[in-house]
Amino acid sequence: MVILEEQQKHSDDDLVRACREGVESAFEELVRRYKDRVYNVVYRYLGNHEDSVDVALEVFVRAHRSLDRFKGDAQVYTWLYSIAANAARNKLRDRSRKGRNKGVSFEALQERAPSLAQSITTDAVNPSHLAQKRELNDGLKACLEDLPDSYRLPFVLRTFDNLSYADIAATVDCPPGTIKSRLNQARKRLRDCLTKRGVL
Amino acid sequence: MAPACEQIRSEFSALLDDELNSEDRELVEEHLAECAECLRELHGFKQVADAYRYHHPVKAPDDFEERLRDAMAPAPARFGQQWPAARLAAAAAIVVGIGLAYWRMSGPEPGAFQTTMRAEEPARESTADAIEPAAEADTELTQESMAQGAPPEMGESEALAGRESDTAKAKPVPGDQIAGESAAEEMAESVAKRPPEFQGGGAGFGGGGGGFGGRRSETRQRDGEMTGRGADGFGGAATNESEAAPPATVPAPPAPEPPSASEPAPQAKPPAPAPASEPAPHQLRESAAMKDDTSTTGDADTPATPSRRAELKREQPGAPADGKELEKTMPEAVSEEAVVTWREQRFSVVEGTLEQAGYDGEPLTEITLLSDAWHDILDRYPDLVDLVDGTQPVIVQLDKTWYRFKPTA
């Protein structure tokens, strides 16, 4: 417990430094700090829990392997997100190559990962409310999946992780002005899509 | 739409995300106070933002950390890096096993081992207890070189170069004294009994374990001395060059001197200048990269079957058990760098960059991952994702153009 408390006081850079020195508990702490954020972003990007688990695991495996190459000139989370973005994009391509463009259905998810399904529906106890929420989720997810990659990633990072334009720009390596423009386009397209689906 | 409206609407996302400076915010708000259309448009943006904002965040599965531990658990490279003695011990066991098998198949000839080994790999003999005079001399010299502070591999190569003529004259030890001694001796014997193309190089296991992943500049300097076989782990020296057929895509580099491996194995080899006949450790370490120095520079984009990154070939290190001893007896210890194959081109890590063999400093087109240019390239070469994983820069030639793909962070 003392060790954990000590680690909680450490900054991300301290943890990375400790990881490089072979302190495995430092890496474990890093994982604990960011696994949910990374998973959430990846899931929103891919729309599929099965693939998201694979990608999220891959993110941390790659991060662990390339700790010595992390220069510290970016935030740890933008570094993790850039790995995640690349891995997620690869997964998308892999998925489309194999013709598997459909995400896991909600029913299948309930069967395989009830806790995950629950996290989507949160505290919706009322069945009709649950159904309504599910439709909203499906519609939102579908419209998000229809977005081109260059719009989807900035939108996901902003909307689901509240990254600043500067951090998003660092993650995808383009100017903040471009991020602003892409977010605008993303929201325009989402608005049109959601309106068409009757969600808005 | 009025130009003013278009410009104002381009700021809507920034407005909603609180990314506008106060001056721009004021301008937008002033316009919205007078433009109902823009206000309606902004409302649509806000609905989208709200719809997704209240979408609760999804958490990682409960067993995520456990699954991560499982995913990270088998890590051969880490194993070797963290526990070099254990790695070397495992490598030694492999070397010995294969060497023993080879020796038993080929059968040693009394005396032949002695002479051949003296001429070619005197450093190996230093751990063979039976080969005392030369071994001790070699050991002393090697230790001396090392004690002088030179990098072991460099010191040894120079030592080996100097000692080669000496060891060639060393008192021969009877073959039966050699046979059946330590496992290292057996392996050393097996080296002598290898086909000529496998003489003179390799870090162990019967000719295997040539080094790879060395410095490209050093590699280039040794171009003429090196062979195209190094990456297989069978000999990094020029001695192999004329004997072994190079791989289809790798023309053999010209050797500056006649390779000594052309002589039959049992015969004593005349002393030769060290670079040609005495593969220095660092040369052998680079042998895998060297192999591809003269690889064709075209053809990364030939329509071959894309290879997965899982084709990562990790050369088996060939080194006997003991760490310190290794440096003396197995100077050609294999580095940890792996060789990757993609579209039949080989890549190795050079100073943190995964570099295609054959790259010789040509101008590069730099592309950052996730940029628009990256996406364009991926559209043309979808399997590039098998090579570029975002953890390190990658230098690769596509359609006669050299690219450097760099991670975003």
Side-chain angles (χ1 to χ4, degrees):
Chain A
M1 286 302 111
V2 171
I3 296 171
L4 184 63
E5 282 165 10
E6 284 292 315
Q7 284 175 340
Q8 281 173 343
K9 293 179 202 165
H10 292 161
S11 68
D12 286 347
D13 290 340
D14 291 342
L15 286 181
V16 168
R17 216 171 294 125
C19 289
R20 283 194 193 133
E21 290 165 10
V23 180
E24 283 305 314
S25 60
F27 185 74
E28 288 168 11
E29 174 60 23
L30 214 56
V31 172
R32 264 193 294 275
R33 278 190 198 182
Y34 289 107
K35 64 175 181 176
D36 288 336
R37 283 179 71 176
V38 167
Y39 186 83
N40 188 44
V41 161
V42 168
Y43 171 71
R44 298 305 176 190
Y45 186 77
L46 292 175
N48 171 316
H49 283 286
E50 186 181 351
D51 289 344
S52 301
V53 172
D54 291 343
V55 169
L57 287 171
E58 187 180 340
V59 167
F60 287 103
V61 169
R62 284 192 192 177
H64 189 261
R65 274 206 318 247
S66 59
L67 276 166
D68 53 344
R69 284 184 226 113
F70 174 61
K71 292 182 175 56
D73 51 358
Q75 299 285 347
V76 167
Y77 54 85
T78 58
W79 173 57
L80 289 174
Y81 284 148
S82 65
I83 299 175
N86 206 36
R89 191 178 164 77
N90 293 346
K91 183 61 98 174
L92 267 184
R93 283 179 177 267
D94 184 50
R95 199 203 286 174
S96 72
R97 268 209 301 266
K98 294 178 183 172
R100 291 188 291 119
N101 285 328
K102 301 295 176 192
V104 175
S105 71
F106 187 78
E107 287 72 18
L109 181 66
Q110 275 187 311
E111 200 177 319
R112 279 192 239 167
S115 60
L116 283 174
Q118 180 62 32
S119 73
I120 292 174
T121 57
T122 60
D123 56 353
V125 175
N126 187 324
S128 62
H129 189 210
L130 178 63
Q132 193 180 22
K133 249 188 135 36
R134 195 186 314 168
E135 279 176 20
L136 187 64
N137 290 340
D138 287 347
L140 289 173
K141 205 191 296 186
C143 287
L144 191 52
E145 285 177 8
D146 282 345
L147 278 183
D149 290 337
S150 55
Y151 297 157
R152 193 193 313 184
L153 181 61
F155 180 81
V156 164
L157 291 173
R158 175 67 207 183
T159 305
F160 298 107
D161 205 61
N162 216 30
L163 285 195
S164 68
Y165 283 21
D167 281 345
I168 298 172
T171 300
V172 303
D173 195 26
C174 60
T178 306
I179 298 299
K180 182 173 74 173
S181 160
R182 288 186 182 177
L183 282 171
N184 238 44
Q185 286 300 317
R187 283 167 171 149
K188 248 192 233 174
R189 291 187 182 216
L190 286 169
R191 182 202 57 203
D192 295 341
C193 177
L194 292 170
T195 304
K196 237 186 252 178
R197 286 178 167 261
V199 175
L200 288 184
Chain B
M1 187 179 11
C5 290
E6 196 171 333
Q7 191 181 354
I8 293 294
R9 292 181 191 187
S10 70
E11 303 291 346
F12 278 175
S13 272
L15 177 71
L16 290 173
D17 294 335
D18 205 21
E19 292 269 351
L20 277 183
N21 59 40
S22 53
E23 192 181 324
D24 290 342
R25 173 180 282 273
E26 209 173 300
L27 278 169
V28 172
E29 286 173 352
E30 272 175 20
H31 181 88
L32 288 173
E34 296 167 355
C35 183
E37 281 299 317
C38 284
L39 200 56
R40 236 188 317 273
E41 183 79 2
L42 178 64
H43 180 64
F45 270 57
K46 199 163 184 316
Q47 281 183 310
V48 171
D50 289 346
Y52 284 98
R53 185 171 295 134
Y54 299 119
H55 216 211
H56 282 262
V58 176
K59 291 195 166 192
D62 294 335
D63 62 346
F64 184 83
E65 289 178 58
E66 187 185 331
R67 291 170 75 164
L68 181 61
R69 271 191 288 274
D70 290 341
M72 287 171 57
R78 292 282 173 198
F79 170 79
Q81 288 166 1
Q82 290 172 1
W83 300 286
R87 167 178 68 88
L88 295 170
I94 295 169
V95 164
V96 164
I98 297 176
L100 194 58
Y102 191 92
W103 171 70
R104 286 194 174 141
M105 280 186 335
S106 55
E109 292 179 15
F113 159 71
Q114 173 65 33
T115 317
T116 306
M117 280 305 296
R118 295 266 180 268
E120 294 186 353
E121 296 176 338
R124 286 225 171 103
E125 300 167 13
S126 62
T127 57
D129 293 334
I131 312 172
E132 286 162 359
E136 284 172 359
D138 285 337
T139 304
E140 285 166 6
L141 183 67
T142 310
Q143 287 173 334
E144 187 183 333
S145 308
M146 292 172 71
Q148 286 167 1
E153 54 273 24
M154 288 304 296
E156 282 173 335
S157 70
E158 291 159 0
L160 290 171
R163 294 297 296 173
E164 187 177 10
S165 54
D166 293 331
T167 55
K169 303 171 196 164
K171 178 184 173 185
V173 178
D176 59 2
Q177 190 174 345
I178 299 166
E181 286 283 344
S182 67
E185 290 175 295
E186 290 174 338
M187 189 231 15
E189 287 172 1
S190 76
V191 169
K193 291 292 123 192
R194 286 182 249 153
E197 58 266 33
F198 298 146
Q199 297 273 355
F205 67 103
F212 50 85
R215 299 279 185 274
R216 177 148 288 269
S217 56
E218 290 176 280
T219 299
R220 299 230 168 264
Q221 290 166 9
R222 290 167 179 80
D223 231 356
E225 304 159 3
M226 308 313 291
T227 181
R229 300 288 283 180
D232 298 330
F234 288 98
T239 54
N240 300 340
E241 183 184 327
S242 66
E243 303 299 329
T249 60
V250 180
E257 304 178 33
S260 56
S262 58
E263 300 177 30
Q267 296 177 8
K269 300 197 187 303
S277 65
E278 197 58 56
H282 55 283
Q283 294 175 337
L284 287 169
R285 284 199 189 86
E286 295 156 4
S287 61
M290 280 169 345
K291 174 205 162 179
D292 300 303
D293 278 353
T294 55
S295 65
T296 55
T297 55
D299 304 335
D301 54 341
T302 48
T305 306
S307 352
R308 301 284 307 174
R309 239 197 148 140
E311 276 184 336
L312 197 74
K313 291 177 186 152
R314 194 160 298 274
E315 307 295 341
Q316 290 302 316
D322 185 28
K324 263 288 192 210
E325 291 290 308
L326 272 175
E327 292 298 337
K328 292 182 294 187
T329 62
M330 295 298 167
E332 312 89 331
V334 173
S335 85
E336 285 294 333
E337 299 293 347
V339 172
V340 172
T341 300
W342 181 77
R343 288 194 174 202
E344 297 182 358
Q345 294 296 320
R346 295 180 71 96
F347 297 74
S348 57
V349 178
V350 177
E351 295 176 346
T353 297
L354 188 64
E355 191 174 298
Q356 179 177 328
Y359 175 65
D360 200 9
E362 289 93 337
L364 292 165
T365 300
E366 294 239 352
I367 293 182
T368 304
L369 298 193
L370 306 184
S371 64
D372 289 339
W374 162 249
H375 295 321
D376 291 340
I377 290 273
L378 269 187
D379 287 337
R380 288 173 10 227
Y381 305 95
D383 61 326
L384 193 56
V385 297
D386 296 338
L387 177 69
V388 183
D389 68 358
T391 60
Q392 61 189 338
V394 177
I395 293 178
V396 59
Q397 190 181 36
L398 304 170
D399 198 17
K400 307 284 190 274
T401 301
W402 284 98
Y403 292 90
R404 180 171 176 267
F405 297 103
K406 53 178 186 170
T408 56

